[in-house]
Amino acid sequence: MLVYHRIPIDMVSIVCKSCDVFEVTNLLGQADISLFKGSTQIEISRLGYRPQTTSFAQLEQLGFEIYMVASTIQFDEVVVSATRWSQTSKNIPSKISMISTQQVALYNPQTAADLLSASGEVFVQKSQQGGGSPMIRGFATNRLLYAVDGVRMNSAIFRAGNIQNVISLDPFAMENTEIFFGPGSIIYGSDAIGGVMSFQTLTPQLSLSSNPLITGKLVSRYSSANEEGTHHFDVSVGWKKWALVTSFTHSKFGNLRMGSHGTDEYLKLFYVQRIDNVDRVIENTDPLIQNPSGYMQTNLMQKIHFSPNKKWYFQYGLHYSETSQYSRYDRLIEMQTSGLPSSAVWNYGPQIWLMNNFSATHKGYNLAFDQFTLRLAHQYFEESRIDRKFNHYRLRTQLEQVQAYSVNFDFEKNANKHKFVYGVEYVLNDVNSIGSALDIRDQSPIAVPARYPLSQWSSFAGYVNYQYNVSELLLLQLGARYSGFNIQSDFTKQLDFFAFDFTTTKIQNSATTGSLGLVYKPTETSRISANLSTGFRAPNVDDIGKIFDFAAGEIVVPNADLKAEYAYNGELSLSKTIGEWIKLDITAFYTYLDAAMVRRAFQINGLDSIEYDDQMSKVYAIQNAAFATVFGFNAAIELKLPSGFGFSTRYNYQLGKEEMDNGEMSRSRHAAPAFGVTRFMYQKKQLQMQVYASYSAQVSYAHLNHEERQKPAIYATDSNGNPYSPSWYTLNFKAMYQFHENLSVSAGLENITDQRYRPYSSGLVASGRNLILSLRANF
C-alpha cells in the first residue's frame, strides 16, 4: 500500500526494471506486485511526490506498505504519450510534461482547454467562451494532435483556423494528461507537427481481494466571473476480473465578465436584438459583461474492464459530450464601415462528440512481442454554424457530420538492452456536409451550398521505434513511419452554385518520416538529450474541399492539387537536479515547415473573382506554396524550500516566421508571444496553497501576423492607430484543504487585480476577478 499521512495514494507507478513489469496503484493505494518477486530494483513514483527505489525483499520487510513524501519538485515520471506504452520520461529524448489529477483538483480548470493552459507551457486562444485552441511551439489547430485513451481525435475537417474540439473532453474524467512537444508523427501520424496532447481518462480498477472495490467522488463548483455551476460524479466498481467506471458532468456557464482595469476598446457596449422584425442595436447596461457568451455542456463516460487472467485485458469505453448552442463572440463584435454590427446572429450549433473504443491487451513474452494492444474505435463528430448578417433576411445553417473509424495494432518487445515498439494503423473518415437556410420573413427555404463536399478520407500506416541502451549512461532511439493517404470528394451538389470544371476529386499520396534521438545521463542527477525528427500533415477534406468566405469579398474554393507538408525539427534538452532541492530544465528547438499548406490567390475557369453570397469575391485556395520556421526555448526552475514551501517558474519563448504571397516574411499566426507562469507554493499535511502569476508579452503591430492585422475588432489600437496585442499579467491564489480522508474543499481567487486583457489572437476578453469554490467528496 502507498500512503501519505495515512491517506492512500492512487496512480502511483511501480516499475520493475529487471522483470519489465509495470503496475499502478488503485484508489486504496494498492497494487498486485506478485510478478515483482525477486526483483532487486523497483522504482516507485508519482507526480508531486519524491520517487523511491527499493527491492521486493525490502518491501516484504516493510509489510508491503510504503510512505511517500510530498515534493514540489517534479521528478521523472512514467509516461505513455511517447510510444503508447508506459516508460519513464528520463529515457525519452523528447520533452514531455504531465498534469496530474492532484493538480487538476487544485487548479479547478473549467474546461480541458483551461486544463492545458494551467500547465504554463501551452498558450490557449479563445474566439468564444465555448472554445479553446492550444498553441504549442508556434503551431496550432490541425498541426497539433489530440489523443484520447490512445485514439487520435483529429478528424478530416480539422481546419487551419482556430478550433474548439478540446472542450469536448471532461477535466474531471482525466486520470492523466501529457503534453508531448515537437513532432510525434512516428507514433501518431498526420497532424503531429507541433506536439501531441494525450489524455488518459479514468480506468476501471479491479479488486485485489474477495470484496468488491467501490470508489468514487462527487464534486460541486461555483465560479463568480461567469456564474458557473458544475456538478460531477464518478463511481468505480471492481471485482476480481470485472470492473466498471461511470462518470457524469454537467456545467452551466453564464456570460463572462471581463476585468475593470484595462483598455476601453475591449468593453462590450452593445448587443443585437430583433424587435418588431427589425434588428436593433441594444445598449449593454454593463459593458464588462460579454453578452452573449454563455453556454451549457454535458459529459458522460462509461467503461467496462475484463481480465480473465494476468495475460489478457479487455476494455470498452463510451464517451459522449454535447454542448448547447453558443455564440461566436469575435464575429459578433465586428463592425461595418457604417458603424453598425456586421452580424445579427453568429452561433455554433451544439458540438457533439461520441467515441466507442474497444481495446484488447495481451502479454505474451515470445520472440515477436512481450505484449500487444489492439484498439478499435468509432467516433462521431457533429458541428454547425448558424449565421445571419445584420438586418438581412437569410438565416444560414451549415451542418457537418463525421463518422471516424480507426484500427491500431501496437506491439512492444524488450530484449536485454534493446526495445522495439512497432505497429500498424488504419483510419477512415466519412464526411457529410449540409447547407440550408431560411427566409426569416416567411420561413421559406433558401438554397445555399454546403461547406464541404461529400468526402472520404483514409490513411494506412506502419511504424517502428527502436531503443538501444548503449550503456548505463547512453541511450539511442531510432524511429520510422510510412503513411499512405487517400481523399475522395464529390462536388455534385456544389455545381448548383459554382461553375467548377470538375465533379469529383481524388488525392492519393504518401509520407515517410523518421527520428533519431540520444539521451545521455552523465550522473544520477543530470540528463542531456538531443532529438532530430520529422513530422507531416496530410491534406484533409477541410484543405481540399472547403468553400467559405474568410473575409468580406474573399472566398476560399477547392483545390485537389495538394500534397503533405513536412516539418523538420531539432531540439536539445538539459536537465539537472541538485539534491532534492533544485531542478533545472531547458529545451531549445528549431522547426522548418516545408511545402506548407497556406491560403493563396487562385482561379476558377480562368477567373480570379466569382459571385458568392450576393457579392463579387476574390478567389483563394489552399496551396503548397510557402515555408515557415519556428525557433525558441522552454525553461523551468523548481525549488524546494524549507518548511513545506516551494517555488517554480516556467517560461516559453517562440519566434515564428512564414513566407507570404509576395515572398516577404511575416510573423507566424500561431507563434504565441513569450508567456509563462511563476508559482510560490506551500504544502503541509492536508493543506496546499499557491500564489502565482501568469503573464504574456506584447505583440506590436510590426510583429503582428499580416492576416491578424486584418482583424482590428479583436485587438487594441496603438498610438499610430494600428492593431496590436498588449502584454498582460494576472495574480492568482489557489488553496485546497483535506478535512477528512473523504472530504476536501478548494478555493481560488483568479485575476486578483481585476485586469482587463485579451490573450493574443483571442476574440473573447479573459475573465476578470474570479472567485472559485469547490467541494469534493470521495467514497
Side-chain angles (χ1 to χ4, degrees):
M1 174 183 289
L2 282 301
V3 295
Y4 170 70
H5 286 290
R6 307 301 307 176
I7 298 175
I9 308 174
D10 65 332
M11 295 303 298
V12 177
S13 301
I14 308 173
V15 180
C16 172
K17 296 189 68 175
S18 57
C19 55
D20 192 35
V21 179
F22 170 80
E23 291 289 346
V24 177
T25 59
N26 61 23
L27 288 169
L28 298 181
Q30 301 171 337
D32 182 357
I33 60 169
S34 56
L35 295 178
F36 290 64
K37 191 170 184 178
S39 175
T40 58
Q41 189 174 12
I42 299 174
E43 297 179 350
I44 301 172
S45 63
R46 189 192 193 279
L47 195 65
Y49 295 89
R50 186 187 304 164
Q52 301 183 40
T53 301
T54 185
S55 67
F56 189 88
Q58 289 173 320
L59 288 174
E60 196 170 25
Q61 291 176 0
L62 295 170
F64 297 103
E65 185 169 277
I66 288 285
Y67 288 85
M68 300 198 73
V69 179
S71 176
T72 56
I73 301 291
Q74 294 191 17
F75 296 92
D76 294 317
E77 299 296 329
V78 173
V79 296
V80 299
S81 59
T83 62
R84 288 199 180 100
W85 298 101
S86 299
Q87 62 183 124
T88 56
S89 59
K90 65 184 178 182
N91 292 328
I92 299 169
S94 300
K95 174 179 169 59
I96 298 178
S97 293
M98 294 179 61
I99 306 172
S100 68
T101 53
Q102 186 180 27
Q103 291 171 316
V104 173
L106 178 64
Y107 298 156
N108 266 313
Q110 291 190 348
T111 68
D114 298 329
L115 168 66
L116 293 168
S117 180
S119 70
E121 296 180 306
V122 177
F123 192 92
V124 173
Q125 179 276 353
K126 291 187 177 183
S127 297
Q128 63 281 327
Q129 190 174 191
S133 188
M135 299 181 184
I136 300 176
R137 288 191 175 182
F139 296 100
T141 61
N142 55 17
R143 291 180 179 134
L144 299 176
L145 189 127
Y146 304 82
V148 183
D149 293 340
V151 177
R152 63 177 287 133
M153 189 184 188
N154 295 39
S155 76
I157 62 171
F158 265 42
R159 57 190 180 275
N162 298 309
I163 59 176
Q164 58 268 0
N165 298 75
V166 71
I167 70 166
S168 293
L169 306 179
D170 181 5
F172 286 107
M174 293 303 149
E175 197 168 76
N176 192 35
T177 302
E178 298 176 17
I179 306 163
F180 179 99
F181 293 86
S185 290
I186 299 298
I187 303 299
Y188 296 97
S190 178
D191 304 0
I193 288 179
V196 176
M197 291 156 285
S198 176
F199 300 89
Q200 176 63 47
T201 60
L202 297 173
T203 303
Q205 298 181 346
L206 296 172
S207 174
L208 300 180
S209 68
S210 57
N211 297 320
L213 174 63
I214 304 175
T215 57
K217 65 176 178 285
L218 298 168
V219 182
S220 286
R221 183 177 64 210
Y222 167 80
S223 299
S224 63
N226 56 1
E227 297 185 347
E228 176 213 12
T230 291
H231 306 284
H232 165 85
F233 83 86
D234 62 70
V235 59
S236 176
V237 181
W239 296 270
K240 285 274 192 174
K241 296 183 178 181
W242 289 88
L244 57 86
V245 61
T246 302
S247 174
F248 175 83
T249 303
H250 179 75
S251 297
K252 182 178 181 180
F253 307 102
N255 292 327
L256 183 65
R257 177 191 176 276
M258 66 180 78
S260 58
H261 303 296
T263 176
D264 289 346
E265 294 173 284
Y266 295 165
L267 294 174
K268 187 66 160 65
L269 302 177
F270 71 91
Y271 59 92
V272 175
Q273 192 170 351
R274 193 163 181 82
I275 302 174
D276 296 329
N277 296 320
V278 177
D279 290 333
R280 302 186 186 275
V281 177
I282 307 298
E283 180 184 0
N284 189 8
T285 55
D286 186 349
L288 299 181
I289 301 298
Q290 299 176 80
N291 178 18
S293 61
Y295 75 105
M296 294 187 292
Q297 181 167 338
T298 300
N299 285 80
L300 173 67
M301 184 188 75
Q302 178 67 59
K303 283 187 176 182
I304 302 172
H305 178 94
F306 174 59
S307 295
N309 52 52
K310 292 187 178 298
K311 290 187 176 182
W312 283 98
Y313 304 87
F314 301 95
Q315 185 167 281
Y316 166 75
L318 168 68
H319 302 259
Y320 181 80
S321 173
E322 182 174 355
T323 70
S324 65
Q325 186 176 120
Y326 53 92
S327 299
R328 180 165 174 180
Y329 185 82
D330 62 336
R331 288 297 185 96
L332 294 178
I333 61 175
E334 292 178 349
M335 306 297 288
Q336 304 177 53
T337 55
S338 63
L340 293 173
S342 296
S343 298
V345 177
W346 217 120
N347 297 330
Y348 283 110
Q351 178 173 293
I352 298 174
W353 173 63
L354 168 71
M355 181 169 79
N356 294 281
N357 179 18
F358 172 80
S359 65
T361 299
H362 175 59
K363 297 183 177 180
Y365 301 102
N366 53 47
L367 289 176
F369 60 86
D370 292 337
Q371 53 184 334
F372 73 75
T373 294
L374 169 67
R375 290 183 179 87
L376 306 175
H378 161 259
Q379 296 178 81
Y380 172 74
F381 302 87
E382 181 177 306
E383 59 186 55
S384 57
R385 295 160 178 81
I386 306 161
D387 69 286
R388 183 173 62 80
K389 294 179 180 179
F390 187 80
N391 271 332
H392 199 276
Y393 60 86
R394 191 197 68 181
L395 179 67
R396 178 178 61 175
T397 299
Q398 293 179 309
L399 173 67
E400 275 68 62
Q401 299 167 317
V402 180
Q403 301 281 358
Y405 309 89
S406 61
V407 180
N408 290 85
F409 222 160
D410 301 303
F411 299 83
E412 182 188 46
K413 177 62 183 177
N414 288 278
N416 297 321
K417 296 183 177 182
H418 308 273
K419 180 177 182 177
F420 296 88
V421 172
Y422 59 98
V424 293
E425 176 186 73
Y426 178 73
V427 179
L428 173 66
N429 281 198
D430 282 321
V431 178
N432 182 39
S433 185
I434 302 170
S436 62
L438 288 175
D439 186 326
I440 62 173
R441 298 170 300 186
D442 58 11
Q443 301 301 303
S444 60
I446 301 173
V448 294
R451 183 177 174 89
Y452 299 113
L454 295 176
S455 302
Q456 188 175 87
W457 184 94
S458 61
S459 170
F460 62 90
Y463 76 92
V464 61
N465 195 72
Y466 166 68
Q467 283 189 345
Y468 173 49
N469 285 289
V470 181
S471 67
E472 289 291 326
L473 305 180
L474 183 64
L475 179 143
L476 170 69
Q477 179 172 293
L478 298 168
R481 180 187 182 102
Y482 173 82
S483 300
F485 52 89
N486 185 4
I487 311 175
Q488 300 181 64
S489 297
D490 184 348
F491 289 87
T492 302
K493 293 183 179 180
Q494 274 76 13
L495 295 180
D496 293 336
F497 305 92
F498 305 101
F500 296 150
D501 57 357
F502 55 85
T503 303
T504 61
T505 61
K506 182 176 182 180
I507 295 179
Q508 189 168 358
N509 215 321
S510 63
T512 303
T513 51
S515 67
L516 169 63
L518 292 170
V519 178
Y520 177 57
K521 294 172 282 189
T523 67
E524 287 285 335
T525 59
S526 57
R527 177 180 176 273
I528 303 171
S529 64
N531 193 41
L532 298 174
S533 57
T534 59
F536 79 98
R537 186 175 77 84
N540 62 20
V541 175
D542 185 85
D543 297 312
I544 74 160
K546 180 167 62 178
I547 304 170
F548 85 112
D549 50 335
F550 64 92
E554 297 179 310
I555 180 176
V556 169
V557 299
N559 177 22
D561 188 21
L562 286 175
K563 60 183 180 180
E565 56 185 17
Y566 278 87
Y568 302 88
N569 178 76
E571 61 186 271
L572 178 67
S573 297
L574 307 175
S575 177
K576 175 66 178 177
T577 303
I578 303 174
E580 296 179 354
W581 305 98
I582 302 176
K583 185 179 180 183
L584 307 173
D585 282 293
I586 186 167
T587 299
F589 62 90
Y590 175 84
T591 305
Y592 179 86
L593 184 66
D594 190 30
M597 286 181 270
V598 293
R599 191 163 55 213
R600 291 289 185 262
F602 198 65
Q603 291 186 346
I604 294 180
N605 298 329
L607 300 175
D608 61 5
S609 296
I610 61 174
E611 185 172 338
Y612 179 78
D613 204 12
D614 300 327
Q615 65 178 323
M616 288 300 294
S617 299
K618 184 174 174 58
V619 176
Y620 292 81
I622 303 298
Q623 303 172 55
N624 295 104
F627 70 90
T629 62
V630 184
F631 74 87
F633 66 89
N634 315 101
I637 301 174
E638 300 175 47
L639 303 177
K640 181 182 178 183
L641 303 175
S643 304
F645 289 96
F647 171 85
S648 72
T649 188
R650 298 183 184 278
Y651 184 78
N652 311 272
Y653 174 83
Q654 45 279 315
L655 177 61
K657 295 183 178 181
E658 59 186 44
E659 184 185 20
M660 303 303 292
D661 197 11
N662 59 7
E664 295 180 0
M665 299 300 293
S666 167
R667 291 294 177 94
S668 295
R669 177 186 176 189
H670 291 137
F675 69 97
V677 60
T678 299
R679 305 180 189 274
F680 186 68
M681 301 161 283
Y682 175 78
Q683 183 169 346
K684 197 71 171 180
K685 296 184 179 180
Q686 289 83 15
L687 176 64
Q688 292 185 63
M689 293 191 297
Q690 282 192 11
V691 176
Y692 65 96
S694 298
Y695 40 87
S696 173
Q698 169 186 286
V699 180
S700 66
Y701 177 76
H703 293 157
L704 191 63
N705 173 266
H706 288 194
E707 291 186 13
E708 292 296 296
R709 294 178 183 178
Q710 310 307 312
K711 306 174 184 177
I714 67 173
Y715 288 103
T717 304
D718 65 18
S719 58
N720 296 318
N722 294 318
Y724 83 110
S725 180
S727 60
W728 55 266
Y729 77 94
T730 62
L731 298 177
N732 314 272
F733 171 77
K734 295 287 175 69
M736 182 168 65
Y737 185 75
Q738 189 142 5
F739 289 99
H740 180 269
E741 178 180 337
N742 298 323
L743 185 64
S744 64
V745 62
S746 60
L749 190 60
E750 297 177 333
N751 195 359
I752 295 172
T753 58
D754 207 26
Q755 297 297 302
R756 183 187 307 145
Y757 69 100
R758 179 178 269 147
Y760 166 72
S761 192
S762 294
L764 188 77
V765 182
S767 166
R769 186 182 295 117
N770 184 31
L771 173 66
I772 303 171
L773 297 173
S774 177
L775 182 65
R776 176 183 297 247
N778 299 321
F779 60 90

